[in-house]
Amino acid sequence: AEFDGSGVDPDRLERAVRALMRRHGMLRARFGDDGRQQILPESAWPGMTVHDLRDAAPSAAAELRSRLSHLRLAVEQGEVFDVQLSLLPAGVTRTHVNIDMLVSDALSYQRILAELAQLYLRPGDDLPPISYSFPQYLAEAAARRSDTLDQARSYWHERLASLPGAPQLPLADDPERLVRVGVNRRHHLL
């Protein structure tokens, strides 16, 4: 996403981004090849990249937009969130925000942007504490699944003795009398 404005201070924006990453563990998440997630103590974000396009040809902004819109973050290294800033002619600034949707859904993304704006505009204000995390959710969901699985296992174990045997399926011939056993492969192209 891109947000046009004016007079955005790169250092202040970087401090806001870093505060946001400290606040939200999933903005410091790393994803392994096996899909496991690890919340890192520090973000892998290298810091604010500033593109000074004030004296560049108008096509430079379009080229940057194209490159950033296809940017693939290295989630296996913990790169899941990136913010860059372009300085454009006449004091216009463009903030480029890239987030991997592995760490955020659409509603969470809106909240992240709102908090980033608040951290930038009022850096001294405290945001309300976050009392719940994605790892907590996963642990609770796993516990619920485990309880449900235990209940199901117990139910079926108690019923095992009363379950009927396998059904007797009709056979064209008694399998013991078959002389030639084989498999016929059949196919049909539609």
Side-chain angles (χ1 to χ4, degrees):
E2 293 180 342
F3 302 96
D4 284 355
S6 61
V8 174
D9 179 291
D11 294 330
R12 188 172 178 178
L13 181 58
E14 179 165 347
R15 285 191 299 275
V17 171
R18 292 204 182 276
L20 187 70
M21 289 176 166
R22 282 190 301 275
R23 180 173 166 73
H24 292 281
M26 289 306 290
L27 296 181
R28 301 186 314 272
R30 183 183 81 72
F31 292 80
D33 291 339
D34 61 358
R36 291 182 188 231
Q37 306 163 18
Q38 176 188 15
I39 295 179
L40 302 171
E42 294 291 324
S43 166
W45 186 57
M48 185 62 58
T49 299
V50 178
H51 306 276
D52 190 348
L53 306 175
R54 292 176 286 196
D55 297 323
S59 62
E63 290 169 10
L64 179 63
R65 171 182 283 146
S66 177
R67 185 169 55 82
L68 292 179
S69 68
H70 293 90
L71 181 67
R72 183 191 173 281
L73 298 173
V75 298
E76 66 280 356
Q77 296 173 14
E79 293 178 8
V80 295
F81 186 62
D82 181 52
V83 177
Q84 298 185 27
L85 184 67
S86 288
L87 307 177
L88 302 170
V92 173
T93 53
R94 180 170 293 144
T95 304
H96 310 272
V97 180
N98 189 347
I99 190 166
D100 196 295
M101 296 312 273
L102 287 170
V103 299
S104 173
D105 59 18
L107 189 57
S108 299
Y109 182 57
Q110 290 176 356
R111 177 168 202 126
I112 285 168
L113 292 177
E115 288 184 5
L116 179 59
Q118 186 173 350
L119 288 165
Y120 178 83
L121 294 171
R122 295 184 300 283
D125 288 0
D126 288 331
L127 295 173
I130 296 174
S131 60
Y132 197 66
S133 69
F134 191 60
Q136 284 175 285
Y137 164 77
L138 290 176
E140 290 173 8
R144 281 192 303 274
R145 279 192 307 274
S146 178
D147 290 345
T148 302
L149 182 61
D150 289 344
Q151 290 172 356
R153 184 179 293 117
S154 177
Y155 170 81
W156 286 109
H157 188 68
E158 289 175 17
R159 294 235 14 237
L160 194 56
S162 65
L163 291 176
Q168 292 298 318
L169 299 176
L171 301 173
D173 281 318
D174 180 3
E176 300 297 323
R177 294 186 349 191
L178 293 176
V179 178
R180 196 182 82 158
V181 178
V183 176
N184 292 326
R185 182 175 177 172
R186 298 169 191 239
H187 70 276
H188 180 76
L189 181 63
L190 180 62

